[in-house]
Amino acid sequence: MAEMLARLGFDAVTLDMQHGFHSTESVLRGIAGVALAGKPAIVRIPVGRFDMASRALDMGASAVIAPMINDVEDARAFAAAMKFPPLGERSWGPHRAVQLSRHEDVSTFMRTADRETLSFAMIETRKAFDRLNDILDVDGIDGVFVGPADFSIAWSEGAQVDPGLKEMMPAIEAIAAAAEKNGKLAAIFAADPGRAGRYRQMGYRLVATASDTESLVLGAATLLERAKAG
Ligand code: 3PY
Ligand code: MG
């Protein structure tokens, strides 16, 4: 699935270990499939599993998304797992990543890895929003990734889950502006692909859209409709 999606016009494919059902083994296979299609693979790790961030990079991920980064301590721990010393504490062992990279010499790989792989801290709570600038300020955090579903739960104080919640849109816009001001990347999940253009206008540089299951259901529903009409 990952390789097939990578062969479409998407710029990258994300393998989700938080709410998707990817395991270490399937992430390893997924990254290889996406690389075969010539695209970068992004991995979202489960909450707090910063060890998996280093592991995803070892497997050849180009970027890692860490959910529920709510304060500077979370951001520092995530950055430490993502970057080699002296910036972080990433331990050496990227055997698969070196094979998938264009660097043959491991020292060149090591010296360029920190800037060639991106760490995205997810902003999806009020606590994270209140500490946004401090999180953006952490060395080794390359960008923030907004989770509008969780953010809407936080924004409505548990009343609803609505990734398109109007009242939170100014905050979503402010996150992109703060990232830009800090020289970092802003990314977001567009639960409704129709919102992708609006997010781009706000300054979001990476917009993730739809899951594999949604894509399958949408495709299958279209096929069924066509078959019944034919
Ligand atoms: C959210 O919307 O909360 C997400 O985590 C998107 O993947
Ligand atoms: Mg979320």
Side-chain angles (χ1 to χ4, degrees):
M1 275 292 264
E3 183 184 338
M4 285 178 202
L5 291 172
R7 289 191 186 281
L8 296 177
F10 297 107
D11 298 307
V13 173
T14 302
L15 305 164
D16 187 11
M17 302 181 86
Q18 186 196 12
H19 296 300
F21 299 110
H22 273 287
S23 64
T24 305
E25 291 73 22
S26 68
V27 164
L28 182 65
R29 283 198 308 275
I31 291 174
V34 174
L36 206 60
K39 299 280 175 70
I42 303 173
V43 173
R44 177 160 75 167
I45 55 173
V47 176
R49 290 295 308 275
F50 303 126
D51 58 321
M52 277 310 310
S54 304
R55 224 159 147 58
L57 293 180
D58 283 352
M59 292 182 217
S62 296
V64 176
I65 300 168
M68 296 286 175
I69 297 294
N70 289 327
D71 52 34
V72 169
E73 287 69 37
D74 291 344
R76 285 202 186 123
F78 174 42
M82 289 291 290
K83 308 293 178 184
F84 286 118
L87 183 51
E89 295 164 12
R90 181 178 168 195
S91 165
W92 180 256
H95 306 297
R96 186 65 177 134
V98 171
Q99 285 176 330
L100 293 178
S101 85
R102 62 200 158 79
H103 306 295
E104 278 168 23
D105 141 33
V106 288
S107 289
T108 312
F109 174 91
M110 193 273 295
R111 282 195 304 272
T112 53
D114 285 358
R115 61 173 187 271
E116 290 189 352
T117 49
L118 301 174
S119 51
F120 287 101
M122 282 196 80
I123 303 295
E124 43 187 354
T125 63
R126 273 195 187 258
K127 200 175 162 196
F129 185 68
D130 291 345
R131 290 161 179 76
L132 178 63
N133 282 311
D134 298 333
I135 291 170
L136 280 165
D137 212 32
V138 172
D139 273 349
I141 294 296
D142 299 301
V144 286
F145 191 108
V146 177
D150 279 311
F151 203 60
S152 71
I153 296 175
W155 214 255
S156 67
E157 291 177 348
Q160 57 184 320
V161 52
D162 173 8
L165 191 69
K166 278 199 178 58
E167 299 88 294
M168 72 180 184
M169 285 305 160
I172 289 189
E173 193 158 5
I175 295 172
E180 173 83 31
K181 200 165 155 223
N182 282 271
K184 307 239 163 144
L185 295 164
I188 192 163
F189 183 73
D192 172 358
R195 272 194 291 273
R198 188 154 163 224
Y199 289 146
R200 277 201 306 275
Q201 279 166 7
M202 288 180 183
Y204 284 93
R205 309 260 303 270
L206 176 72
V207 181
T209 186
S211 66
D212 49 3
T213 48
E214 281 164 347
S215 307
L216 179 72
V217 168
L218 198 64
T222 309
L223 293 177
L224 183 63
E225 224 170 79
R226 270 205 238 154
K228 284 190 170 171

